[in-house]
Amino acid sequence: MAQQRHAVPPPLKTEEDYIPYPSVHEVLGREGPFPLILLPQFGGYWIEGTNHQLSGAPESPPTPAPSARAKLEGNHTAKIYRKHFLGKEHFNYYSLDPALGHLVFSLKYDEQEHLHLLLRTRARTLHDVVPISCLAEFPNVVQMAKLVCEDVNVDRFYPVLYPKASRLILAFDEHVLSNHFKFGVIYQKLGQTSEEELFGTTEESPAFTEFLDVLGQRVQLRDFKGFRGGLDVTHGQTGSESIYCHFRDKEIMFHVSTKLPYTEGDAQQLQRKRHIGNDIVAVVFQDENTPFVPDMIASNFLHAFVVVQLEQGSDQGTLYKVSVTARDDVPFFGPPLPNPAVFRKGPEFQEFLLTKLINAEYACYKAEKFAKLEERTRAALLETLHEELQARSQAMLGLGPEDERADNGAAAPGFFESFKSLLVPGSRRGRRGSAIGLGSVEEALLVPGKSPSRRRPGPLGSRRSSAIGIESIQEAPAGRDGPAATPEGAGSAHSSPESQRHQDREKPEPPDFSRSSSSGSSFGSAPEEPSEPGRESRSPSGTHRDAFTDTPWPDDPPGTPTGRRPPESPCPEIKIQLERPPPHPVRW
């Protein structure tokens, strides 16, 4: 078993499973010219632009025409809300789907009798335009949402009442849009076939310097005010200058390998790799004919490379050969390379190259690694937007967090949560009255450790009652086995209703509505003996009875200490104190 547990697993692939591509060293051992890009031995990449043979006169390479401006790709759905909804009359709604998660729905009815529908889910944003003439009847909001996505399964959508909700929704929709890009630039000299050799180059050839001028302009990093792409613009720890470009309202900063700090003795050159290795797209410039292999650079982020090689021996100006490679899960991106993929140096080549780089990054976002990251980010942002719209809408209605209702998008509180709120003193729900006298449940079920002296009833304040007598639960007598009441003042033996309730709280006993007891009131002016524990003055209906004269208990046997019962009494006895006590005590 131990040998099986530590056995080396078999390789995932064998020679029978695939035909390996030739290595770069094998290719360099052959006779040239060599291709710009070689696929790794295990594959995993695709290549665009493999033909670089000029047919006909070399002075007329197929460069793009100035009028044929390359199209920038991007997330056009993210711009729909700003273009068709913002600043126009429309309606926003939110809901929670058990399968799709949080939903935010926008709809607009235009003058051409079209419904513009925009539904946001945690996976994507769906948009559709539906003519009213195609519908048998005008749909409700749930039906409109199902026109966009049939998987919607909610009972209703809740309207957004916050006046500034459009700003929140716009910020969510456009969080995927960016006008800032950073790309790596790697200089590959003749014969360099490893990562250490690529990052170890410190000198720049005239051809590489000329190519950098095509990409953008040189800028000093210290106190640079534009997009810096993670470079240090204060202390100069990432070099003194870099290449920057402003292209179609977008800012691009290039991480040039030869301009990043070089560290002596560091074979990996981590100061350079930590910038270029964290880019998603990189440009590889080749002085001479040495193939580039995508797995030369170990990186989890680099997904696409644009390889540019100088055409040697041209007497018609500077010509560049271009090839593109990307991982298999990266979709194809434009503009497409011409055939043959050869360009003349000029503004048209710069525009084509920058457009290709930006579109490459947008395409890489659709790869599996970045798509999962974007989905998690989108789900978290959508949940935040949903909660914000719900809270703001309730605030507009004057409802706080404790006033949420199940019919307004909030989950209904459970039984124990509702009942717990009745037991906690100071709870807003616990102090609400109702038609059946629930407002007194908090006073009846006192919480141990809390002083019940918040309310001090006056002489007539204890005559409250309810339709079902819930107030009587509070005022019913508790057990009589507790300690004697503590006098409130020096030489006073009066027992107030507050102290009696305090004793009832410490030793509660189920009330009995068939009996009632009475004792002297704390407002009596005549001297009296100390009252027994748990005994109060009550009327037959269960409420306090206010009497202004008190007399000792008539049934106490002689010699019994005040406030104590004879030890032989197994249980307390019920006595009624009348305004004029009879000449002889009445024993029940």
Side-chain angles (χ1 to χ4, degrees), residues 78-294:
K79 305 177 182 179
I80 293 178
Y81 188 79
R82 177 183 292 273
K83 182 178 180 180
H84 297 286
F85 290 83
L86 190 65
K88 303 177 179 64
E89 183 181 4
H90 67 283
F91 303 93
N92 298 310
Y93 301 87
Y94 63 90
S95 187
L96 182 62
D97 190 279
L100 300 178
H102 299 87
L103 303 177
V104 176
F105 185 43
S106 301
L107 65 92
K108 185 191 72 169
Y109 181 74
D110 60 14
E111 298 178 355
Q112 288 76 26
E113 296 187 348
H114 289 79
L115 284 175
H116 291 261
L117 309 176
L118 194 63
L119 179 64
R120 303 163 187 85
T121 68
R122 61 188 175 192
R124 54 180 177 167
T125 299
L126 303 172
H127 174 249
D128 198 1
V129 180
V130 181
I132 297 297
S133 58
C134 298
L135 304 175
E137 58 181 6
F138 199 87
N140 57 35
V141 180
V142 177
Q143 294 171 341
M144 292 181 188
K146 290 185 177 181
L147 291 175
V148 184
C149 180
E150 297 180 354
D151 298 331
V152 173
N153 184 21
V154 295
D155 295 331
R156 60 175 296 184
F157 278 84
Y158 305 98
V160 177
L161 305 179
Y162 182 50
K164 299 181 180 180
S166 296
R167 300 182 183 179
L168 303 177
I169 297 176
L170 182 65
F172 169 80
D173 284 352
E174 296 185 350
H175 81 275
V176 296
L177 302 179
S178 176
N179 292 325
H180 301 137
F181 296 88
K182 56 186 183 69
F183 303 116
V185 180
I186 303 172
Y187 177 37
Q188 183 182 14
K189 300 177 69 173
L190 179 64
Q192 293 182 342
T193 59
S194 65
E195 178 181 304
E196 290 76 11
E197 293 174 339
L198 295 177
F199 288 134
T201 304
T202 57
E203 297 178 356
E204 297 178 357
S205 65
F208 182 56
T209 303
E210 184 180 1
F211 174 71
L212 293 180
D213 294 335
V214 175
L215 292 179
Q217 58 181 346
R218 300 172 185 268
V219 294
Q220 297 297 318
L221 291 179
R222 182 174 293 276
D223 299 329
F224 180 68
K225 302 303 180 183
F227 173 64
R228 59 189 183 92
L231 300 180
D232 183 17
V233 296
T234 304
H235 306 287
Q237 296 181 357
T238 57
S240 59
E241 67 175 14
S242 187
I243 304 299
Y244 169 85
C245 178
H246 193 275
F247 175 69
R248 294 193 189 179
D249 298 330
K250 302 181 185 301
E251 296 183 77
I252 303 175
M253 177 63 76
F254 292 94
H255 297 154
V256 185
S257 61
T258 56
K259 296 185 179 301
L260 292 171
Y262 176 81
T263 304
E264 293 286 348
D266 185 5
Q268 295 183 347
Q269 293 299 320
L270 296 180
Q271 287 294 329
R272 295 180 171 183
K273 185 178 179 179
R274 74 185 185 96
H275 289 284
I276 299 177
N278 287 326
D279 293 331
I280 299 177
V281 183
V283 181
V284 179
F285 180 79
Q286 300 172 344
D287 262 341
E288 300 182 41
N289 191 217
T290 300
F292 173 78
V293 185

Side-chain angles (χ1 to χ4, degrees), residues 457-466 475 539 541 543-547:
L460 303 177
S462 61
R463 296 188 177 273
R464 295 173 288 111
S465 61
S466 68
E475 298 169 357
S539 65
S541 62
T543 59
H544 286 282
R545 190 172 186 276
D546 299 323

